[in-house]
Amino acid sequence: MPQKTTTTFATAFEREVHEGLTAFPKYLSSKYFYDEVGDKLFQDIMAMPEYYLTDCEFNILDANKTAIVDLFASDGEPFSLFELGAGDGKKTKVLLRHLVERNIRFDYRPIDISQNALDQLETALHKELPEVDINPLQGTYFDTLRDIGESNGRRKVILFLGSNIGNLLHPQAVEFLKNMRKVINKNDLIFMGFDQKKNPQTILDAYNDKTGITEAFNKNILARINKEMGGDFNLDNFLHWEVYDPQTGTAKSYLVSKVEQVAYIDRLDLEVPFKRWETIHTEISQKYDDAVVQWLAGKAGLEIATSFSDEEESYKDYVFTK
Ligand code: AVI
């Protein structure tokens, strides 16, 4: 039988699904959790009492807004405030409002992969903070970092909140930080959230809520394959499973096949066989401490200028310079 040696893919999503589901052990990338349904599920996650990260960072920004804005506006010149993965901008509005109240000159450039999220944010800001000069940019972090590098001559402050960096393995995180370093100048700042190591139970609960929102979020990647690639995954045949290793600080999400089954993805002409209890690894959510952040920054050629945290040191925002 002649083997099919080359397959052409219409999108990176198709290519990565093919790659991950023909590998052993199977994996898929959490960046594909997000479509309109996934965005909404993530908003629901952020509102869950178990998902402490959002409130924690909101409180850090609120409690330290004066000091943070002092840092952003340190030379008194107008600056550009970029935000990667802006989402609904709920936390950022604390800083934007304070910048407006202090009559500080800046423009806000939220960046998100979702045009829908950007449109909603722009409409909300026009209403709530009409003084803010907003220039949204649609694209992936990687595409838009280039745009940041080529932007106007203003000083740059880049926000990356929500511990989004935690969804990258350490080598990818270093690569990402190196790319950020390339687009900033000496006086520019990177302001970035890193969820910290803490009681392992607290972390497990945040990623394993009883209401099943995180389960639906994790399974949304299969729902997307069904919708966008003509897949026939039966979502009820999979368990959402979360583990946390307190030694490495890595939380990992899996989908576990409850039965022996074969799924078929029409667009890829691919049969995906599963043994009973076979896994698909879908996400990592890395937790950090100062030593690890210091190590990542050092590898990327960045320095930690300062950091802000809650009293329990449950979550930290670090300020990096080059
Ligand atoms: C977007 N990211 C930082 C979230 C996290 O905490 O890793 C995604 C998430 N996954 C499950 N719950 C939330």
Side-chain angles (χ1 to χ4, degrees):
M1 269 288 259
Q3 290 286 311
K4 198 175 175 188
T5 47
T6 46
T7 318
T8 47
F9 302 106
T11 60
F13 184 25
E14 287 190 5
R15 180 172 41 77
E16 290 189 40
V17 166
H18 190 281
E19 222 169 77
L21 294 183
T22 52
F24 182 79
K26 295 179 171 61
Y27 62 89
L28 290 170
S29 167
S30 62
K31 65 174 179 273
Y32 296 116
F33 286 171
Y34 304 87
D35 60 353
E36 230 169 276
V37 176
D39 286 350
K40 170 75 176 74
L41 285 167
F42 185 52
Q43 280 180 5
D44 294 345
I45 286 175
M46 290 193 290
M48 299 185 325
E50 298 90 338
Y51 195 74
Y52 57 85
L53 290 83
T54 311
D55 280 352
C56 212
E57 190 167 44
F58 183 91
N59 292 334
I60 293 168
L61 299 183
D62 196 37
N64 297 285
K65 57 183 179 242
T66 308
I68 294 170
V69 162
D70 282 347
L71 269 175
F72 289 3
S74 58
D75 65 357
E77 293 298 318
F79 66 93
S80 288
L81 181 64
F82 292 91
E83 179 169 18
L84 302 181
D88 66 1
K90 183 180 164 227
K91 288 173 286 189
T92 321
K93 282 182 202 161
V94 173
L95 300 178
L96 297 177
R97 190 163 292 119
H98 195 63
L99 283 159
V100 167
E101 278 164 9
R102 289 177 53 183
N103 279 321
I104 291 170
R105 284 174 302 157
F106 73 103
D107 63 327
Y108 175 48
R109 302 185 168 202
I111 294 164
D112 207 286
I113 192 150
S114 157
Q115 187 63 46
N116 176 46
L118 287 173
D119 291 345
Q120 283 183 15
L121 177 60
E122 197 172 11
T123 309
L125 276 181
H126 278 321
K127 236 207 232 145
E128 294 169 45
L129 286 167
E131 303 86 346
V132 173
D133 175 8
I134 172 171
N135 295 299
L137 273 172
Q138 192 269 330
T140 65
Y141 301 150
F142 294 96
D143 306 334
T144 46
L145 273 178
R146 202 188 33 235
D147 296 328
I148 295 179
E150 289 163 4
S151 76
N152 62 23
R154 287 183 168 191
R155 229 181 101 242
K156 296 188 259 296
V157 176
I158 306 178
L159 295 181
F160 193 46
L161 303 179
S163 202
N164 282 319
I165 186 131
N167 298 132
L168 302 179
L169 294 164
H170 286 324
Q172 299 169 337
V174 168
E175 209 41 47
F176 182 68
L177 289 171
K178 276 187 184 164
N179 286 332
M180 287 183 99
R181 184 184 186 278
K182 277 191 209 144
V183 302
I184 62 166
N185 297 311
K186 263 250 157 307
N187 293 322
D188 298 343
L189 300 179
I190 299 170
F191 186 95
M192 218 160 163
F194 289 76
D195 193 20
Q196 302 285 299
K197 290 180 182 168
K198 58 182 64 62
N199 186 329
Q201 193 61 55
T202 309
I203 292 171
L204 268 184
D205 292 347
Y207 292 91
N208 204 16
D209 61 290
K210 303 241 172 354
T211 43
I213 300 172
T214 311
E215 175 184 348
F217 183 60
N218 193 8
K219 288 184 178 178
N220 193 47
I221 198 159
L222 299 184
R224 280 196 67 189
I225 296 172
N226 285 351
K227 254 186 293 190
E228 295 171 38
M229 297 177 204
D232 68 356
F233 285 95
N234 178 348
L235 273 48
D236 294 334
N237 283 347
F238 291 87
L239 274 181
H240 164 67
W241 196 256
E242 191 70 24
V243 293
Y244 174 65
D245 179 346
Q247 188 174 37
T248 59
T250 312
K252 285 181 164 186
S253 303
Y254 293 93
L255 292 167
V256 184
S257 177
K258 293 196 267 187
V259 293
E260 185 174 332
Q261 56 180 324
V262 181
Y264 181 68
I265 306 173
D266 188 43
R267 196 71 48 83
L268 304 181
D269 189 18
L270 180 69
E271 284 192 346
V272 191
F274 289 88
K275 294 199 183 77
R276 199 175 178 212
W277 307 128
E278 190 175 341
T279 53
I280 310 174
H281 172 43
T282 50
E283 186 179 49
I284 74 152
S285 298
Q286 183 65 36
K287 308 303 162 195
Y288 301 88
D289 55 29
D290 281 342
V292 174
V293 176
Q294 183 75 61
W295 173 80
L296 288 172
K299 285 256 173 207
L302 292 168
E303 275 171 29
I304 300 176
T306 186
S307 66
F308 300 90
S309 95
D310 57 319
E311 233 169 68
E312 301 245 295
E313 306 208 319
S314 175
Y315 189 98
K316 285 193 185 180
D317 285 298
Y318 294 80
V319 179
F320 299 116
T321 53
K322 92 177 194 188

